[in-house]
Amino acid sequence: MTQPPEPGRPPQGDGGAHDPTQVSFGKSPSQPPPPPAPGAPEPGTPPYAQAAAGYGYPQTPPAPNPYLQQPSPQAPPAAPQYGYPAQHMAPTVPQPAAQPLPRRSEAERKALRAQVAIVVSALVAIALIIGGGVWYSGSKDDRAPVAGGSTDGDGKGGGKGGGTEKAPSDPSAKLLFELDPPKVGKDLQITVAGSWITEDAYVKSGVAEINAYGLDDGAKKWTLPLPGPVCETSRHTTRDGRTAIVHEPDMPTARTPTHGCSEVTAIDLTTGKKLWTKNAKNGDRPVRFDNVTLSGTTVAAGSSHGGAAWDLADGTSLWQPKAADECQDAGYGGGKALVAVRRCGSYDARQLHIQTIDAKKGTVVSEYKMPQGVEYASVVSTDPLVVAADVGDTAGDGSGISDFFSVDAATGKLRAKISAPGDTYAADCDGITRVEHCTGLAVTGDRLFLPTEEHDTGGEGGRSNEIIAIDLATGRTTGQKADAGDNSSLYPLRADGDNLIAYKRPPYDKGGQIVSIGGAGFEQTVLLELPADDKSQELELEFSPEYQEYLFSGGRLFMSQVYVRQGAGADEVLAVAYGPKG
């Protein structure tokens, strides 16, 4: 099995970024897959090791709406949009030669992921042909959800306008607490993905359990035991702190490394109580879900065998997969709206449909048909509706993104198609199975915020990057740009009203910062600055927003691991928290 880069320490190499103020029309070349490799794993391997897969070009038209179990009035889907507005290419310039520095760039990390994805893609093809199912393989430590989550699915991390995070009089931070890693059985690696912040607790997945800790002292407040490890979590919560997760029905062992991610559980993050646990069947076998999300009071989970949904309050089934259906809901995006990525057609003739769904009635409100050559898609945002895809496998960097599609959710018409070459931008999406998992970007105020790859600044300035804004109505850059500064780089975490919360990776002699980038003038305000002492720098190097979970709220920063393994070192931690000194 291919191993990921060491957590928090991407491989060193050329950053491959370009100044987004200049224009070029280059495109990353497509990379042919290698011949299929033998020894495909069994279907249903849990998603702490996701796989890339390649399907044929789509041709088959969509099947009728599957969402309601009983007849119900259905809003007529909008006419599929086969064309799209003129493409706006990502602005680029030729990349100057990189200078070796102690910092680690993103370009080689992405290149490594691309190589892993290509190899695993061949394995997936064999598994699907032989077993007719879905499986996960390859070890990827990049499972961090969009930091901060959302409340009632607003996806904004705050209200309209200036946001809720305010600059303190002194942004200097202190270490609040560290959490020791849980014990893991012999020869096992267990997912601990999932973290949330409530009004009075930091909530974090453990080994087959979820725990709540005091925000400032890390004292345990409650524990919710689970029968098996957490596989996937929803980053969306209701305003009273309810959300949903997917987990295994039993604990893995060295002999049985997985029991499948079949159980969907709704939980109350404020009390630690389980609301209900449900699953769905494909024939007489439980469906193994790849993702879960929340929109309003609807919990929805998708898979290669189709999607299912339940009412958050009592677990009442809203819809279930249909064995005879040639279309399947591979996954859902939640928040203010519910959006399905629906795959139709046979193995060698796929067609993707992006469907906005009435979360209460299950009817299709609108539909956008992705262009041919798109095999997988990720839901970046549901309001406004933004979808990312690797069109024709042209990204070439393992990011899963060559283009963004800005869609009118009310009509299903494409507003703009935005080219995002992998050697220019540093965002990532995992649309192969986890369709709502995108990191390093944010959407708010009808703008898409993207970081550029690190690039040489010339002279003694070292390497740096920028965050730029793209208008989702036109697909063009707005001219707004936030510079990271010499020997630093900016990484978007989440939106805060119309502002953007970002992590600034520091030079070697300073601590990292959490900054707010103003939505209007793009001015940077330091909200928190981590200490630069040896211990803090060592802790900070154990984490990276590309690989682990970063949550910032109320002036506190929480960084946590997404898996734990047997024999964790004495210096390893499950999570670490920083807050203001005052």
Side-chain angles (χ1 to χ4, degrees):
M1 180 177 293
T2 304
Q3 295 298 320
E6 183 182 351
R9 303 173 188 265
Q12 196 161 346
D14 179 45
H18 307 291
D19 184 347
T21 62
Q22 304 296 321
V23 177
S24 170
F25 294 93
K27 193 76 172 174
S28 300
S30 179
Q31 195 167 3
E42 285 291 322
T45 303
Y48 24 89
Q50 296 284 351
Y55 289 127
Y57 290 96
Q59 296 175 356
T60 307
N65 168 51
Y67 295 104
L68 292 181
Q69 291 180 286
Q70 299 179 359
S72 138
Q74 177 176 332
Q81 304 299 311
Y82 293 96
Y84 39 80
Q87 178 170 317
H88 303 292
M89 303 299 294
T92 64
V93 294
Q95 170 66 18
Q99 297 181 358
L101 289 169
R103 294 192 44 73
R104 297 167 175 86
S105 76
E106 287 304 295
E108 287 198 1
R109 177 184 67 84
K110 287 188 172 183
L112 178 61
R113 287 185 59 193
Q115 294 171 13
V116 173
I118 290 168
V119 173
V120 176
S121 178
L123 296 176
V124 168
I126 294 174
L128 290 173
I129 292 171
I130 296 174
V134 64
W135 61 277
Y136 312 85
S137 182
S139 206
K140 294 201 313 184
D141 187 18
D142 61 349
R143 301 168 48 83
V146 177
S150 68
T151 301
D152 273 346
D154 61 17
K156 304 283 197 295
K160 292 288 187 181
T164 60
E165 300 292 345
K166 305 302 180 183
S169 56
D170 181 3
S172 299
K174 66 178 180 181
L175 177 65
L176 298 177
F177 61 83
E178 305 170 49
L179 298 178
D180 293 331
K183 296 185 183 301
V184 177
K186 184 179 180 181
D187 299 327
L188 287 177
Q189 177 174 282
I190 304 295
T191 53
V192 289
S195 54
W196 304 264
I197 300 173
T198 68
E199 287 187 1
D200 62 355
Y202 170 64
V203 184
K204 173 63 185 169
S205 295
V207 173
E209 64 183 17
I210 297 176
N211 299 295
Y213 304 91
L215 290 173
D216 293 316
D217 58 8
K220 188 175 290 188
K221 301 172 75 70
W222 53 255
T223 296
L224 172 63
L226 299 168
V230 175
C231 302
E232 295 293 337
T233 64
S234 173
R235 73 173 186 264
H236 306 293
T237 65
T238 62
R239 294 196 180 277
D240 57 357
R242 293 177 294 168
T243 191
I245 64 172
V246 172
H247 58 86
E248 295 193 52
D250 204 348
M251 281 299 295
T253 64
R255 181 180 293 272
T256 308
T258 176
H259 296 277
C261 302
S262 59
E263 308 304 294
V264 178
T265 292
I267 60 177
D268 187 331
L269 296 172
T270 62
T271 64
K273 302 297 184 183
K274 181 179 75 172
L275 304 178
W276 48 259
T277 296
K278 302 290 182 178
N279 56 34
K281 295 292 180 64
N282 176 33
D284 59 351
R285 301 178 63 183
V287 173
R288 296 176 173 184
F289 291 109
D290 304 329
N291 53 76
V292 65
T293 197
L294 174 67
S295 180
T297 58
T298 296
V299 174
S303 77
S304 65
H305 293 294
W310 300 268
D311 185 271
L312 177 64
D314 56 13
T316 300
S317 177
L318 301 178
W319 62 81
Q320 295 279 314
K322 296 180 179 179
D325 197 346
E326 69 169 3
C327 297
Q328 296 83 33
D329 287 357
Y332 301 93
K336 281 192 171 179
L338 184 63
V339 174
V341 174
R342 190 157 174 79
R343 295 178 187 154
C344 295
S346 60
Y347 165 74
D348 58 350
R350 295 290 187 192
Q351 175 68 67
L352 286 190
H353 304 262
I354 308 301
Q355 296 181 333
T356 298
I357 305 163
D358 186 308
K360 292 184 177 179
K361 300 177 181 178
T363 53
V364 176
V365 176
S366 68
E367 177 180 271
Y368 172 71
K369 184 181 291 186
M370 297 292 283
Q372 288 193 352
V374 176
E375 300 168 357
Y376 303 98
S378 299
V379 179
V380 177
S381 168
T382 61
D383 182 23
L385 179 52
V386 182
V387 178
D390 186 359
V391 180
D393 298 323
T394 57
D397 63 351
S399 66
I401 306 170
S402 68
D403 299 88
F404 292 94
F405 297 77
S406 174
V407 180
D408 186 328
T411 65
K413 293 182 179 180
L414 190 70
R415 303 170 68 198
K417 179 172 179 281
I418 305 161
S419 176
D423 60 353
T424 300
Y425 295 107
D428 291 87
C429 286
D430 185 4
I432 296 169
T433 55
R434 300 153 63 216
V435 303
E436 201 180 22
H437 183 87
C438 291
T439 58
L441 48 71
V443 172
T444 186
D446 211 31
R447 290 172 298 173
L448 170 65
F449 295 89
L450 287 177
T452 66
E453 290 281 5
E454 292 182 1
H455 56 84
D456 183 15
T457 57
E460 298 180 357
R463 298 178 68 79
S464 184
N465 81 330
E466 302 81 30
I467 293 177
I468 68 167
I470 298 174
D471 189 318
L472 290 171
T474 65
R476 300 185 182 278
T477 58
T478 65
Q480 296 167 306
K481 181 174 70 171
D483 293 300
D486 292 346
N487 283 315
S488 297
S489 60
L490 284 167
Y491 189 91
L493 296 180
R494 64 172 176 87
D496 179 30
D498 287 336
N499 297 341
L500 177 69
I501 303 297
Y503 169 70
K504 181 179 284 191
R505 186 177 280 117
Y508 73 93
D509 57 345
K510 294 183 179 180
Q513 294 179 340
I514 298 296
V515 299
S516 174
I517 299 174
F522 252 49
E523 70 283 354
Q524 296 182 43
T525 302
V526 178
L527 302 179
L528 195 69
E529 183 168 359
L530 304 189
D533 60 273
D534 290 345
K535 179 180 179 180
S536 292
Q537 288 191 321
E538 289 176 4
L539 281 173
E540 193 170 356
L541 284 172
E542 290 298 319
F543 297 90
S544 173
E546 297 91 351
Y547 299 101
Q548 283 95 14
E549 296 173 346
Y550 277 51
L551 297 181
F552 179 80
S553 180
R556 303 177 186 88
L557 173 65
F558 302 88
M559 302 182 287
S560 64
Q561 304 290 350
V562 295
Y563 66 79
V564 292
R565 55 185 171 80
Q566 178 197 12
D571 58 341
E572 295 184 35
V573 297
L574 172 66
V576 61
Y578 285 94
K581 281 185 174 180

